[in-house]
Amino acid sequence: MAPLNEEKPARKSKRPRDDSDDKGEGHSGANRIELDCPFQIETLRQAAFDSSSATEGMKSVYTVRPGAAWDSLSRFKSFSVNDEHFAIHDNVHITRAFTHFDRARGTRVEKEEWAARVLEIAGFDEAHVYLRVMWFYLPEELPDGREDHHGYEELIATNDMSIVDASRVNGHANIPQWIETDQDDPPNDSSSPYWRQTFDKVTGELSDLELHCICLDPQNPDDPLIRCTDPDCGVRMHRHCICDSAESDLLERHYDRRRDGARFPPGTMFSVAVVDKDPKGDPQNPDNNNDEPPHPWIEITDHRSSPPKIWEREVLCLECSQPLA
């Protein structure tokens, strides 16, 4: 492993310490701990938090301990591990020299790899290089854990930092940002890691997400939204909200508590799903050379008969009540 493009050592900070410096650590989030690194980062207090500038725009006031040893290191613009070159602001995989402290269970949980962004490269010599990194969290590491709107591959950009040994780097990590206002679908079709939200370790606050549908909830990137085709409306709807609305309408028209209550517990009389078909209502065939996009239909399974009856109907916009063209 060899560092490249040596820079001058960073100037030692003259910022005076006060009694409040040790009291503002805030929520520790994942609390990732490097087991064999001689340097530790201590977050002192909240600083500017700017989610518009991606992860490098999220800042904390921090110090590295032992400070004199860290300040004495040479600074580099890049480094290499196993003939692979890395630079400042690269996203990387970090191998399992870390543990995650689960506060709820009071135990440490090991993980194969973490994802991080390189912010600073420093070293004694080419055999002893250390990185200041900013972590990407899994949704499970947030204070409220994974929620319904989190995609399977979604990560959370944070301002939680650690010093890690550069030898722990296990390749580049492709983690693009998904800016929801720029595009409807997440990058990589949500099949590989990406991030759209930021978490401030000091305050425990998450950045806001775009809200959709009549329920005003965020989108789960694994479940594409359905847009109203009326140009005067254009609301984007959750599929589960469309299904819930259709089922409520069916129950209002067909369900009688005295007659059906014993036979059909709540939610068992009808099954409702949104299915994509071609505009004529035929199953969507990827080989039919039809240039028109798939059209969503509501498929209803009626369990009152045996075998159950299945029928379909158009999707109505939950906002303007117009059928989707």
Side-chain angles (χ1 to χ4, degrees):
M1 176 186 65
L4 305 173
N5 302 320
E6 182 172 351
E7 292 182 325
K8 293 181 180 179
R11 183 175 299 174
K12 187 172 182 178
S13 172
K14 299 294 185 180
R15 189 184 70 83
R17 287 178 50 81
D18 57 48
D19 293 338
S20 63
D21 284 350
D22 293 325
K23 299 178 182 179
E25 184 147 347
H27 188 279
S28 62
N31 195 22
R32 296 172 182 185
I33 303 168
E34 225 297 339
L35 297 180
D36 55 5
C37 181
F39 300 102
Q40 299 292 328
I41 284 184
E42 177 186 350
T43 303
L44 302 178
R45 67 171 185 262
Q46 181 181 1
F49 184 85
D50 181 8
S51 60
S52 64
S53 301
T55 50
E56 60 265 30
M58 296 183 294
K59 300 177 181 179
S60 296
V61 176
Y62 70 93
T63 188
V64 179
R65 301 192 184 280
W70 176 253
D71 290 339
S72 69
L73 300 183
S74 297
R75 268 32 183 200
F76 307 96
K77 293 182 178 179
S78 60
F79 68 100
S80 61
V81 177
N82 297 327
D83 297 325
E84 187 173 359
H85 297 286
F86 305 88
I88 293 174
H89 296 157
D90 282 356
N91 295 330
V92 297
H93 295 293
I94 306 290
T95 55
R96 190 176 72 178
F98 297 83
T99 61
H100 158 52
F101 186 73
D102 189 324
R103 290 180 177 274
R105 297 180 175 85
T107 58
R108 300 190 189 279
V109 181
E110 291 187 348
K111 179 176 172 56
E112 291 294 336
E113 277 187 343
W114 303 104
R117 174 168 291 187
V118 178
L119 300 182
E120 188 176 6
I121 307 167
F124 295 107
D125 51 48
E126 67 178 29
H128 301 88
V129 178
Y130 299 94
L131 313 175
R132 179 168 61 88
V133 301
M134 185 175 287
W135 295 111
F136 289 94
Y137 281 5
L138 298 169
E140 288 82 357
E141 297 173 285
L142 296 173
D144 293 330
R146 177 175 288 275
E147 299 188 68
D148 291 341
H149 59 262
H150 288 129
Y152 183 77
E153 294 287 352
E154 185 167 0
L155 299 175
I156 313 296
T158 80
N159 57 357
D160 183 10
M161 292 181 291
S162 296
I163 306 297
V164 303
D165 192 312
S167 64
R168 301 293 184 183
V169 172
N170 189 31
H172 286 92
N174 180 27
I175 310 174
Q177 180 184 7
W178 176 30
I179 302 176
E180 294 181 277
T181 55
D182 288 354
Q183 55 198 51
D184 289 346
D185 298 319
N188 304 326
D189 298 323
S190 71
S191 60
S192 59
Y194 58 92
W195 70 275
R196 58 172 169 166
Q197 196 172 20
T198 55
F199 174 71
D200 190 321
K201 174 188 174 182
V202 179
T203 65
E205 294 179 354
L206 282 160
S207 61
D208 293 332
L209 292 174
E210 291 289 315
L211 302 181
H212 304 283
C213 196
I214 60 171
C215 67
L216 296 179
D217 281 340
Q219 176 186 1
N220 183 317
D222 300 334
D223 190 9
L225 299 175
I226 295 175
R227 185 189 296 273
C228 176
T229 52
D230 188 326
D232 295 327
C233 180
V235 67
R236 299 174 67 198
M237 300 169 284
H238 301 105
R239 291 173 179 253
H240 64 82
C241 288
I242 294 173
C243 293
D244 291 346
S245 177
E247 185 177 10
S248 296
D249 179 62
L250 288 166
L251 292 174
E252 184 177 349
R253 291 189 287 117
H254 298 290
Y255 184 76
D256 182 275
R257 183 180 297 275
R258 290 185 178 181
R259 182 191 65 205
D260 304 314
R263 183 181 175 194
F264 297 103
T268 62
M269 179 178 282
F270 299 102
S271 299
V272 183
V274 176
V275 295
D276 292 323
K277 298 189 176 183
D278 71 21
K280 297 180 180 179
D282 297 327
Q284 183 67 18
N285 182 354
D287 300 322
N288 63 4
N289 298 319
N290 188 345
D291 293 332
E292 296 186 67
H295 189 75
W297 292 72
I298 293 178
E299 184 178 86
I300 300 165
T301 303
D302 187 343
H303 297 284
R304 292 176 296 175
S305 61
S306 183
K309 294 181 180 179
I310 299 176
W311 76 90
E312 296 166 351
R313 76 180 197 190
E314 290 183 305
V315 174
L316 301 181
C317 175
L318 301 178
E319 181 70 27
C320 69
S321 301
Q322 295 298 311
L324 272 61

